Amino acid sequence: MTGDWTAGVAPPLYGRSSQRHAVAALLDRVRASGADRPRTGRPTPGRAPGTDGPDRRRADVRVLVVTGERGCGRTALLEYAALRFDAGPVLRVPGGAPRPHGPYGIRQAVSEAAARAGCPSAEGPDTATVPDALLHTLRAAARRAPVLVCADDAHLWDPASRAALGQVARHLHTAGPVGLILAVAGPRSVDRDLTGLPVVHVGPLSRARSAALLYDLVGPSVDPAVRDALLDEAEGNPALLTALARRLSAAELCGRRPLPRPLADADLLASMVGGIPGGPAPGADALQLTVAAALREPEQPDADADVVLRAVARLRGGADIGPPPQTLLWADGRVRFADTLTRRAVYAAADPERRRAAHRALAAVLAGDGRRLLGLLHRAWSATGPAPRTATALADAAEAGVSGPHRLRSAAYARAAELTTDERTRAERYTAAAEQASCAGRPHQALRLVAAARGGAAPAAVHGRAELVRGATLLRDGPVADARESFLLAASLLDADLPALATAAVLAAADAAWAAGDVTGCRRVLDSAASARVRAPGRGDPDDGHRAVPRAMVPRPTVFCDAARDDPAPGAGPRPRSVRAPGGHGSHAAEPTAPHRDPVHDYRLGMRAALDGHFDRAAPSLTRVLESAAGPAHDPVSPLRAAAAALLLGEVEEAGRAATRALVAARARGHAAMVPQALEYLAYAELRAGRHAQARAHAEEGLRAAERTEQRNAAAHHHAVLALAASIEGEEAAVSHHVRAALATARRHGLAQAATLAQWAAARADLGRGRPLEAADRLGPLVRPGPRRGHFAVWMLAVPCFVEAAALSGRPEQARAVVEDFARWAACGADPQAPAQLLRCRALLAPVDRADSLYLTALALHDEAGGEFEAGRTELSYGKWLRRRRRPREARTRLGSALVAFERCGARAWADQTEAELRANGAAAKGVTARGTAGAGAGACPELAGLTPQQLRIVRYVAEGATNREVARSMSVSPRTVDYHLRNVFATLGIRSRVELALLVEQAEKTGAPL
């Protein structure tokens, strides 16, 4: 890149946001290092190269190592960086192919790259060492402008060159404004010569990102079945996905002609890895093939080296293998290929009989070691056609291996189905494989197996189990309305033979209706469960009807309204307290006691009563649910049910304990699909307890787990939780990001609960930043009656925010009706914070003579219930009210208490708002020194030093573009007061327009003077 070094258009990168941010930060540091130096390009006088302190060097690291497997985008990321760099030339150094100049070839390659880029050549005598020579070359190249070096495939250079690169990277700060990006093949661990340097990993794309890439490659006309086949075959490798899509004809892409099988054949894979690698010794090929066969086990990154070597010895009759090929990596008794594409190429290119022989050898070794299931699976992979006896043995081993990994058991059932001739048995085995794939967190694989099972003449119970898998998959990663219909169909098919599983399907249908915000449908589904047959003792668990149905197939229990609260509950004991109903009239008739009550029945009773608002009737049933799940859990279903019951009753500490037990059980049993749900409950419990940092940590982990297991709906709920936490912590960018992510999925899949929570979070962030008008506009449709009202269990939680926003924005009349709705909710007693919140709402709307006593009573209730954040909000509202009544001493006390509460719970935006009120009240805020606000701004900007705290607040609003009326609403004063202060501001500053004021504020902010 020469000339004026204008940046080009970078190629699109899918799913690489963290990698792009790392590259952008490095490019910014390189630009900044070039801007800080004198025009001569020599180091700044007084600071010789290499004499900077270690702290400065760590803050000015201009090196980045990019790791990743072949085809995942290492080179694309380097090209992205090169095209984004506009401050100077880019030195593109290709991979270390064999060169005639022998060791230290990197030295000549860098010199050639500098010459191609038109950089000044290095002058002076040759240096003693190669690292010094490289630094000298880079220092000369950066004489006129900053330089970016992009070295691709650095792992291919000779050992001496790699060592020199590592030394140069560690001393790059001595070369001037130079940035270095190295691309290295392999996993996250890098070459020892590069140890300690900053690393970003480029891994396989998620399924959603792969789908976006495929859409850009072939457009929207691709057949859905073809799309899924391409995504499955590519396994997240963007280069392979691109090659697969480009080799198909238009007729094949549209589904009019059958796809070639296999999609990724030996020729395609060999072309992507540069040919099938061979070994230096006769046994190397056998070793490579055996490792590839051993790694056919589902998602196994490496193999047992001892098992592989013994299998190769059987294949070669004990002959010596010789030195292993470089394509294999050995560590800690495990062996793997350097990259996945090479493994697939080796396996695909091998003669079929050699592949079968490798599997038979592995099967014999594994059987001798007592690993029956895996040994039988390799034996089945060596079969060339139907093998009923092998299939039966494999299916029996998969059913007996209840403690085995779900992915392995799914593969065993699927292979058994492929070898089965009887259609009925084959359909049952495909269904069992789908159940295991669903538990393993592989929903799209589960749906494919369900589709295969539908072709057989199986009994109703098998079809019901398959439909239950489909419903569970859609509930986690699809339209929840479709999930509900699948669950109801599954219940009708299962009722005759598997009534316990039928009941679980009905409860899952209720959960789908809940997620969609369909309260009528939820009631109807639960009422239909009441008419189901009564289970006999010992059949209370949903999987007791069939040994092959895993417990993790049961979808998560519904999260009720209290699960979304961020209000802390008082210290709760191990048992929930009883709660009272709002009144004694009109109660729903109690359902007759079942002869054999079990936790599922109690959960359904409690859920149905809670939907009608009869918490007095819900509490006993939900208490029994908690009691049944006490103690260590062997599966995640029961403690998840208990966590939902505890959240409904307001027992957040018990909910957290139950969710923790569910998480431990899900991880211990390998139920990957249940991990995001357990973390969601944990996050909700922490939010309600006021521990927002912990809630955020759980939600971030849950989001990663949801993305790994392809659960977009669970990811949307975690995004909503993260938005709620960020709205308290005051991180507007984070709130905006998570709200957008949650709503993107919620709108497509009908997730009314997640959508309402996300919108509430956005409004609360507005309120925390002193924008009540925007908050009221967001919340009004959610909480007021009408078709746009939010989720039936969530909108009530946003009422206190709406009342505060409406009162502060001068529209109190809009809030009066919803306050009465909130009063009925508070009277239920399920939320210990609701009574205090209700009094705060009434105080915000009350006349002057009543507001004082309402605030005081609300604060007394907060003292009983606990909870820093909600108590701080009430103190803040009361302090504002006292300041407007010209009672500054009392206001100072309340505002000081609010500031302490917000700082303790990490509510930074609310703390900033409180500090502004304290300054307007004429007092120095406690947090001023720590955050550098208030007085620091006046000292840093003399023009604003003469303004009062009240005037500074008005200046800030006006500079953001607010009108006088909007400023008045935000500050709870009259527009005439704003106009008066603004005229004085103009006179003090000697300006005549709002534009001049905005420019002055912008200049002040650049000097670090916050307002």
Side-chain angles (χ1 to χ4, degrees):
M1 188 176 294
T2 59
D4 58 1
W5 307 306
T6 302
V9 178
L13 293 176
Y14 298 85
R16 307 300 188 200
S17 58
S18 62
Q19 292 87 346
R20 291 199 306 268
H21 292 158
V23 167
L26 180 138
L27 298 184
D28 287 342
R29 290 193 292 271
V30 176
R31 294 188 190 99
S33 66
D36 291 343
R37 71 175 184 175
R39 290 183 179 272
T40 61
R42 298 185 178 88
T44 303
R47 189 197 303 156
T51 60
D52 294 337
D55 293 337
R56 175 181 172 82
R57 290 198 298 270
R58 279 193 294 269
D60 190 32
V61 174
R62 284 172 265 138
V63 180
L64 192 63
V65 180
V66 180
T67 68
E69 290 196 356
R70 190 194 306 263
C72 283
R74 300 190 314 265
T75 301
L77 189 62
L78 260 64
E79 185 65 15
Y80 173 86
L83 292 174
R84 289 291 300 271
F85 188 66
D86 56 1
V90 177
L91 277 58
R92 289 179 169 89
V93 182
R99 292 172 178 266
H101 36 270
Y104 292 115
I106 188 65
R107 177 179 179 178
Q108 182 172 339
V110 171
S111 298
E112 292 172 355
R116 287 194 301 270
C119 297
S121 60
E123 299 175 356
D126 197 3
T127 51
T129 66
V130 172
D132 287 342
L134 285 172
L135 288 171
H136 186 59
T137 300
L138 295 177
R139 195 175 297 117
R143 191 176 302 154
R144 292 199 297 255
V147 168
L148 176 66
V149 181
C150 294
D152 201 3
D153 291 336
H155 59 284
L156 297 180
W157 287 104
D158 58 273
S161 292
R162 293 201 303 270
L165 272 177
Q167 294 184 49
V168 167
R170 291 180 178 85
H171 296 87
L172 194 65
H173 61 282
T174 67
V178 179
L180 174 61
I181 304 180
L182 305 171
V184 180
R188 295 180 184 274
S189 57
V190 298
D191 192 291
R192 63 181 181 181
D193 294 316
L194 307 179
T195 301
L197 299 177
V199 177
V200 293
H201 182 67
V202 181
L205 295 176
S206 68
R207 192 176 185 87
R209 300 297 185 184
S210 296
L213 170 59
L214 183 61
Y215 182 91
D216 285 349
L217 289 171
V218 300
S221 60
V222 63
D223 182 78
V226 174
R227 179 196 60 210
D228 290 341
L230 289 171
L231 295 178
D232 294 337
E233 190 72 16
E235 297 180 347
N237 189 300
L240 179 57
L241 180 60
T242 301
L244 289 171
R246 288 176 175 170
R247 76 185 307 221
L248 296 182
S249 66
E252 290 169 334
L253 287 171
C254 295
R256 294 194 300 268
R257 291 183 58 186
L259 295 175
R261 296 294 179 185
L263 274 173
D265 58 19
D267 291 339
L268 175 64
L269 293 169
S271 67
M272 297 194 66
V273 300
I276 304 301
D285 290 344
L287 177 60
Q288 284 189 135
L289 177 57
T290 306
V291 173
L295 293 178
R296 191 174 175 182
E297 182 182 346
E299 299 191 23
Q300 188 72 7
D302 50 30
D304 188 321
D306 179 64
V307 169
V308 167
L309 292 175
R310 284 188 286 149
V312 174
R314 291 179 66 93
L315 285 173
R316 293 179 51 78
D320 182 50
I321 300 174
Q326 294 184 354
T327 55
L328 299 179
L329 303 178
W330 306 77
D332 301 325
R334 311 290 295 181
V335 59
R336 62 177 177 82
F337 276 87
D339 64 82
T340 302
L341 286 181
T342 301
R343 171 185 64 79
R344 294 182 62 177
V346 167
Y347 190 83
D351 179 76
E353 181 53 39
R354 291 186 64 226
R355 287 201 300 262
R356 290 191 289 271
H359 282 299
R360 285 193 295 269
L362 288 167
V365 172
L366 290 166
D369 290 348
R371 300 164 68 178
R372 183 168 179 264
L373 177 58
L374 188 54
L376 284 171
L377 182 57
H378 278 285
R379 179 71 63 183
W381 278 329
S382 70
T384 58
R389 293 180 61 183
T390 300
T392 300
L394 183 58
D396 290 344
E399 187 170 336
V402 292
S403 61
H406 290 291
R407 294 170 186 169
L408 177 60
R409 296 175 66 195
S410 176
Y413 277 124
R415 184 56 179 163
E418 292 169 356
L419 301 179
T420 300
T421 55
D422 179 68
E423 289 189 4
R424 183 168 179 166
T425 306
R426 184 167 61 245
E428 183 167 356
R429 287 170 179 169
Y430 271 128
T431 300
E435 291 166 344
Q436 296 297 328
S438 180
C439 294
R442 292 294 174 262
H444 291 88
Q445 180 184 353
L447 289 179
R448 289 197 310 276
L449 293 166
V450 164
R454 286 177 174 171
V462 173
H463 285 307
R465 288 166 51 200
E467 200 62 36
L468 183 58
V469 173
R470 183 174 184 275
T473 301
L474 290 173
L475 183 60
R476 293 163 179 160
D477 192 64
V480 291
D482 295 351
R484 179 179 64 176
E485 296 306 316
S486 289
F487 285 133
L488 292 176
L489 176 58
S492 66
L493 293 170
L494 294 167
D495 188 56
D497 299 315
L498 299 172
L501 203 59
T503 301
V506 170
L507 290 180
D511 189 23
W514 182 283
D518 184 2
V519 63
T520 303
C522 197
R523 289 193 183 104
R524 187 182 300 118
V525 169
L526 291 173
D527 289 340
S528 70
S531 61
R533 65 180 64 190
V534 178
R535 292 185 294 275
R539 299 188 68 191
D541 292 330
D543 60 331
D544 286 344
H546 195 284
R547 287 185 300 161
V549 181
R551 290 181 60 87
M553 271 304 306
V554 182
R556 66 179 182 185
T558 299
V559 180
F560 284 92
C561 51
D562 252 8
R565 294 305 297 268
D566 64 310
D567 314 311
R575 297 288 176 262
R577 57 188 177 279
S578 297
V579 290
R580 52 190 176 86
H585 301 287
S587 297
H588 202 282
E591 183 173 327
T593 303
H596 302 288
R597 177 159 291 167
D598 58 55
V600 175
H601 181 72
D602 282 324
Y603 185 77
R604 188 195 65 77
L605 287 180
M607 184 191 303
R608 185 62 178 86
L611 277 175
D612 289 336
H614 300 309
F615 290 92
D616 56 337
R617 292 175 46 235
S621 297
L622 297 177
T623 299
R624 289 192 292 272
V625 172
L626 287 177
E627 292 171 345
S628 68
H634 300 290
D635 67 86
V637 176
S638 297
L640 274 181
R641 207 181 285 132
L647 287 169
L648 177 60
L649 293 174
E651 299 291 349
V652 294
E653 300 298 337
E654 182 64 24
R657 286 190 286 269
T660 301
R661 292 197 298 271
L663 180 61
V664 170
R667 287 171 171 165
R669 297 290 298 273
H671 294 328
M674 304 290 280
V675 170
Q677 301 162 20
L679 288 165
E680 183 183 337
Y681 280 86
L682 259 177
Y684 282 141
E686 297 290 4
L687 270 181
R688 291 193 54 202
R691 296 185 286 265
H692 309 117
Q694 292 93 321
R696 185 173 189 168
H698 290 312
E700 288 173 343
E701 185 181 359
L703 179 59
R704 290 191 293 270
E707 291 173 344
R708 282 196 304 271
T709 54
E710 303 173 17
Q711 299 187 43
R712 285 176 291 177
N713 293 354
H717 282 276
H718 282 291
H719 277 299
V721 172
L722 288 168
L724 284 168
S727 71
I728 293 173
E729 296 171 347
E731 299 181 4
E732 286 193 275
V735 173
S736 178
H737 166 71
H738 292 299
V739 166
R740 284 197 304 269
L743 291 178
T745 300
R747 288 165 178 159
R748 286 197 301 266
H749 293 171
L751 304 175
Q753 181 177 350
T756 305
L757 290 173
Q759 291 164 337
W760 175 31
R764 191 164 65 182
D766 284 334
L767 197 57
R769 285 298 178 189
R771 298 190 292 263
L773 185 62
E774 290 85 346
D777 289 341
R778 289 183 190 274
L779 290 173
L782 290 182
V783 303
R784 293 200 300 269
R788 298 172 62 192
R789 175 175 271 184
H791 189 277
F792 60 86
V794 179
W795 71 263
M796 191 71 71
L797 309 179
V799 167
C801 286
F802 174 68
V803 172
E804 183 176 345
L808 293 177
S809 60
R811 297 183 286 185
E813 68 283 350
Q814 297 181 0
R816 299 189 191 280
V818 294
V819 168
E820 298 311 314
D821 291 335
F822 189 74
R824 287 188 287 274
W825 156 251
C828 294
D831 182 3
Q833 287 292 330
Q837 290 176 317
L838 174 63
L839 289 177
R840 184 177 72 217
C841 291
R842 293 197 185 283
L844 285 165
L845 304 176
V848 175
D849 58 338
R850 291 191 55 213
D852 208 343
S853 61
L854 288 170
Y855 276 124
L856 290 172
T857 307
L859 289 171
L861 291 177
H862 280 305
D863 290 339
E864 295 176 6
E868 297 281 1
F869 180 64
E870 286 300 325
R873 289 181 64 180
T874 302
E875 293 273 18
L876 175 58
S877 294
Y878 190 23
K880 289 180 178 180
W881 184 87
L882 289 169
R883 191 178 65 80
R884 293 198 305 273
R885 305 281 83 77
R886 301 187 183 279
R887 294 158 62 179
R889 183 172 298 179
E890 296 171 84
R892 173 65 182 83
T893 300
R894 295 302 175 185
L895 292 172
S897 298
L899 181 60
V900 170
F902 291 141
E903 288 182 336
R904 288 180 62 179
C905 68
R908 291 192 294 273
W910 303 84
D912 292 342
Q913 189 180 149
T914 306
E915 288 182 345
E917 287 291 331
L918 281 165
R919 291 194 297 272
N921 195 52
K926 292 181 180 180
V928 167
T929 303
R931 279 185 290 273
T933 60
C941 185
E943 294 88 346
L944 303 177
L947 302 183
T948 67
Q950 186 84 325
Q951 289 172 340
L952 284 171
R953 291 187 68 198
I954 293 174
V955 164
R956 183 189 67 186
Y957 285 121
V958 171
E960 292 173 353
T963 64
N964 285 7
R965 186 173 297 277
E966 290 170 341
V967 174
R969 289 173 178 171
S970 299
M971 298 180 60
S972 302
V973 297
S974 68
R976 182 174 298 178
T977 301
V978 174
D979 183 71
Y980 169 79
H981 283 299
L982 199 54
R983 290 177 184 275
N984 290 337
V985 167
F986 281 14
T988 302
L989 299 178
I991 58 178
R992 297 182 178 181
S993 70
R994 291 173 180 259
V995 174
E996 292 181 79
L997 179 61
L999 292 174
L1000 186 61
V1001 170
E1002 181 182 0
Q1003 180 182 0
E1005 289 175 345
K1006 288 180 179 179
T1007 64
L1011 299 176

